[in-house]
Amino acid sequence: MDREEIMARINEIARDVFDNDTVVLTDDTTAADVDEWDSLTHLLFTNEIEDAFGVTFTLAEVTKSENVGQLVDALTRHLGA
Amino acid sequence: MYSFNELRRAAKTAAPGKARTLAILGNCSTQFLAMAVRGLAALEKLPLTVFDAGYNQIEAQVLEDGSELYACAPDSVLLYLATEKLYEEFLDMAPASRGGFADGVLARLEMYWDALGRHANAAILQCTFTEIPDRALGNFSCRVESAFVYQLRRLNYLLQERMAARGDVYPVDLMAVQAELGRERFFDPALYYSAKMAIGTEALPYAAKAILDVEAALSGRVKKCLILDLDNTLWGGVVGDDGPENIEIGELGRGHVFTNFQRWLKELKECGVILAVCSKNDEAAAKRPFESNPEMVLRLEDIAVFVANWEDKAGNIRLIQRTLNIGMDAMVFVDDNPFERELVRSMIPEIEVPELPEDPALYLDFLQRQNYFETAAFTGPGADRTRLYQAELAREKLKAAYASLDEYLESLEMVGTARPFEPAVYSRVAQLTQRSNQFNLRTVRYTEADIRRLAEDPDCLTVYYELRDKFGDHGLVGVVVGRRSGADTLFIDTWLMSCRVLKRGMEEFIIAALMDRAKKAGYRWVVGEYIPTPKNAMVKDIYKTVGFEEAGENRYRADTESFRPGKFHIKESEE
């Protein structure tokens, strides 16, 4: 799975979790850019990504990723891609 | 089981109907737990509103009179103290005082329970404590009083003792959920440290199920009857082909599987679940193992209704349901044959038909996990009602021998009693208010603590009714709660009756005794009300039938001065 496919899947998850069909995530997107992205939905978001890709993030990856790009980096590391 | 993400999506919807309100109070964050409970309630069609108090709000909400908790008037309050937080408190204590840890936590719980009892009219749901095997002293911790494992197990034990003694607290056994899943699946350290939530997303659906099972029982959604197939379900092999002595049962080989299954079924029966048999067999052949195989744990007297013939099973299940007179949704049908299961499911959608595993060795564990027989009360020895149903079948046979209903009723030699609520029956009365759906005029659910309050309230007139006849004792079959409404009027808040004694004149007896007591207590008028539910249409006109006059929509009244009770054949006992 390349980064583009991962990004597409993550966008699907984001639209579901944030309950907003207009959300478009790029590497530079941060929580501040999405109204529905708060501390609680952040956890739902990372949890759903874990389930969808069959990985487990470390605590630091969950709490310290500053933008979507860093989260995708962490994900690709876990996927061994 | 659903995944947490499925529950999260479903949490945006709610099941239609009159919703109960559940308040969730935790010593940690409970947002995901509340979300899981909302979602599972929606998927299981249990109308429920959930109030989530948020992080560590127990004391603020419970102890303050005008708190949000009390403002939302909850029907039940869940108290969830995560062991992870308690463990931090434990480690911060001076080692010398740790021996009193369990007693200290229990005292805190009792303070919460008492405050809830003073401020709210809610059932208290108390979570048991999940274990953290911290291994500070390794296995040896089990014998050191100041070790955490020792104190935590003591806490769970003390909690059980207090709940048993008080009667107003309903356990949610989270410890059992963790024991089943294993701690690794139950607790997610990353979620705990990032959000202070101590139940991982993998375990949340199971925790939500435990909570909702208790909620369902409190709102009267309980299973009362288990219908069993015989060949390859209750024993191995086919009795018609193999013969009653050669079926697989006993302690040897695969027989052990069926013996242990029967042991559990017998335990269910002792706990009040009605067992019935529905088998495609020749009746005499089907009964033979029960009569003559010494390895059988279940005997014929354990089975309330035994149906064995070559008719289709859906029809036979309807026959069993009519005989027992309980709702189809209160029954579970267990059969090893996928064809029969599918047939019954498609013909009777309300009945629960578990998708039994193929290997009989897994039946018992599988059925135990489903937790079909959650209850909100237990009446101890005497819970077993099998004999009552068997006596009922004997009455039905007698009835056929009499020309008129009056002659038959007279021949039953019925004796009734009517007495105010007293402590010995609080539990049974509460149980009836929770479980009666059909003959129940207003379907008000009460906990044992509520029943005690009603009994002690001078403005309430409470009566419980018992009935016996020459075939046996029906036990407690009717409940009436009247409340003062103005100077000379008694309002019937609750009138319910067991459907087992329908058409015996018990309705007339109940009203006659009530009118008599109301008059003696100085009431001129008795007012009744019928609140329709999907299940209680049978009592729509009952007040008119027993001689009340209409007084508005679904409201009726009678004058204690001039009331003349209908005819009945029940003598009131003087005891």
Side-chain angles (χ1 to χ4, degrees), chain B residues 113-125:
Chain B
W113 299 342
D114 290 339
L116 284 167
R118 280 194 305 274
H119 295 295
N121 186 15
I124 302 169
L125 275 56

Side-chain angles (χ1 to χ4, degrees), chain A residues 16 40 43-44 47-48 51 59, chain B residues 5 8-9 32 190 195 201:
Chain A
D16 175 36
L40 187 70
L43 291 167
L44 293 171
N47 176 253
E48 182 111 353
D51 273 12
L59 179 60
Chain B
N5 283 323
R8 172 177 65 76
R9 288 188 198 103
F32 279 12
T201 51

Side-chain angles (χ1 to χ4, degrees), chain A residues 13-56:
Chain A
I13 293 170
R15 285 192 288 274
D16 175 36
V17 169
F18 300 129
D19 208 3
N20 180 342
D21 286 339
T22 64
V23 169
V24 180
L25 303 184
T26 64
D27 278 345
D28 299 329
T29 311
T30 69
D33 300 324
V34 180
D35 283 349
E36 296 83 0
W37 195 335
D38 58 23
S39 59
L40 187 70
T41 52
H42 176 72
L43 291 167
L44 293 171
F45 184 43
T46 51
N47 176 253
E48 182 111 353
I49 295 171
E50 288 181 328
D51 273 12
F53 291 91
V55 300
T56 305

Side-chain angles (χ1 to χ4, degrees), chain B residues 244-278:
Chain B
E245 309 310 321
N246 300 320
I247 54 171
E248 288 176 289
I249 188 83
E251 301 296 326
L252 296 174
R254 224 167 62 119
H256 196 183
V257 164
F258 296 100
T259 298
N260 274 1
F261 185 35
Q262 291 197 11
R263 283 186 170 123
W264 182 65
L265 294 170
K266 184 125 178 162
E267 163 72 1
L268 289 182
K269 189 204 86 148
E270 311 288 345
C271 291
V273 176
I274 307 159
L275 301 183
V277 161
C278 177

Side-chain angles (χ1 to χ4, degrees), chain B residues 234-364:
Chain B
L234 220 48
W235 55 66
V238 176
V239 65
D241 298 338
D242 305 340
E245 309 310 321
N246 300 320
I247 54 171
E248 288 176 289
I249 188 83
E251 301 296 326
L252 296 174
R254 224 167 62 119
H256 196 183
V257 164
F258 296 100
T259 298
N260 274 1
F261 185 35
Q262 291 197 11
R263 283 186 170 123
W264 182 65
L265 294 170
K266 184 125 178 162
E267 163 72 1
L268 289 182
K269 189 204 86 148
E270 311 288 345
C271 291
V273 176
I274 307 159
L275 301 183
V277 161
C278 177
S279 165
K280 272 194 178 154
N281 251 314
D282 176 65
E283 185 175 338
K287 285 185 171 169
R288 217 156 284 139
F290 292 90
E291 294 159 343
S292 67
N293 189 321
E295 306 279 13
M296 286 281 291
V297 178
L298 291 175
R299 317 305 304 185
L300 277 184
E301 63 260 27
D302 298 320
I303 310 296
V305 187
F306 196 107
V307 179
N309 56 37
W310 301 98
E311 308 296 318
D312 86 272
K313 290 209 173 184
N316 282 334
I317 287 172
R318 289 209 181 88
L319 176 73
I320 292 170
Q321 187 248 339
R322 279 198 303 276
T323 309
L324 297 173
N325 209 347
I326 57 177
M328 215 36 122
D329 56 3
M331 310 212 291
V332 181
F333 172 59
V334 172
D335 196 316
D336 68 297
N337 184 332
F339 170 82
E340 300 289 2
R341 292 200 296 258
E342 202 40 52
L343 175 96
V344 169
R345 252 187 228 122
S346 66
M347 304 288 284
I348 312 173
E350 309 94 300
I351 195 172
E352 187 77 44
V353 184
E355 198 54 33
L356 222 52
E358 227 171 284
D359 183 354
L362 308 180
Y363 290 173
L364 178 57

Side-chain angles (χ1 to χ4, degrees), chain B residues 55-68:
Chain B
Y55 179 74
N56 201 14
Q57 290 294 307
I58 300 181
E59 278 174 26
Q61 295 288 346
V62 163
L63 301 180
E64 234 173 81
D65 200 8
S67 68
E68 292 161 275

Side-chain angles (χ1 to χ4, degrees), chain B residues 87-100:
Chain B
Y87 184 47
E88 291 161 11
E89 291 172 23
F90 176 86
L91 294 179
D92 289 344
M93 283 169 84
S97 56
R98 288 176 184 171

